[in-house]
Amino acid sequence: MAEAERIIGTPDTPDEAGEEQEQAPERPRGKRRVAVLFAVALFAYLLDLGSKMLVVAKLEHHEPIEIIGDWLRFAAIRNAGAAFGFGEAFTIIFTVIAAAVIVVIARLARKLRSLPWAIALGLLLGGALGNLTDRIFRAPGVFEGAVVDFIAPKHFAVFNLADSAIVCGGILIVILSFRGLDPDGTVHKD
């Protein structure tokens, strides 16, 4: 009987069970959330891409559209830098950073078992892809393109939907980290 239990993987004694539990790390259970990550990323990317195509076609070289008085307007601008126009001479660096973010998220996807992390990383991925697309394909040239920004709140930087996705994903990651939830679904208390 003991030989049969050993073949099918059942321990002979409680001591052996304890040894096996100590040796094998506990893996989080549940489905991988890669599909959710890519679905959220695709949604964010397509929403950003569609909005930018609409802005370039209908708003660029036209007067801004007031949405809520002068508190919120849609005004098409090309931004070679980061937020608030910072770093216009470093467009290629922002391109490399966006590409690195995409690679890191793709690597994390293998271990992803947490739905909130899948949503957060999907938002980051979709936003990074949206702005990277501008950097690669828009003027003045490959890897030096200016990002199309159009959401213009009063007394704030002009931004786009990719920027919004990145910020929302980043905020969600901070919240998840403070709550102790890891991308693999484990919860730790520090």
Side-chain angles (χ1 to χ4, degrees), residues 6-78:
R6 189 169 296 198
I7 292 172
I8 61 171
T10 307
D12 291 1
T13 64
D15 287 339
E16 287 183 26
E19 289 174 14
E20 286 184 20
Q21 284 179 347
E22 288 176 20
Q23 292 175 354
E26 186 177 322
R27 290 186 153 202
R29 294 187 178 150
K31 295 180 183 178
R32 287 190 181 157
R33 303 297 184 183
V34 178
V36 173
L37 182 151
F38 288 119
V40 170
L42 182 64
F43 178 75
Y45 176 71
L46 291 177
L47 196 60
D48 177 65
L49 185 63
S51 67
K52 289 174 181 174
M53 290 172 64
L54 186 63
V55 164
V56 168
K58 301 289 183 184
L59 190 57
E60 199 167 46
H61 309 298
H62 291 87
E63 289 295 316
I65 299 172
E66 291 187 1
I67 305 299
I68 304 173
D70 65 342
W71 287 97
L72 178 64
R73 323 177 284 149
F74 287 163
I77 67 161
R78 299 288 180 117

Side-chain angles (χ1 to χ4, degrees), residues 122-144:
L123 288 169
L124 279 177
L125 180 60
L129 285 170
N131 284 339
L132 185 60
T133 299
D134 281 358
R135 302 257 184 229
I136 292 173
F137 296 110
R138 295 205 188 271
V142 177
F143 299 115
E144 296 177 353

Side-chain angles (χ1 to χ4, degrees), residues 162-182:
D163 299 332
S164 298
I166 291 168
V167 168
C168 290
I171 290 170
L172 186 52
I173 286 171
V174 169
I175 292 168
L176 295 172
S177 296
F178 276 120
R179 296 190 70 188
L181 182 62
D182 290 333

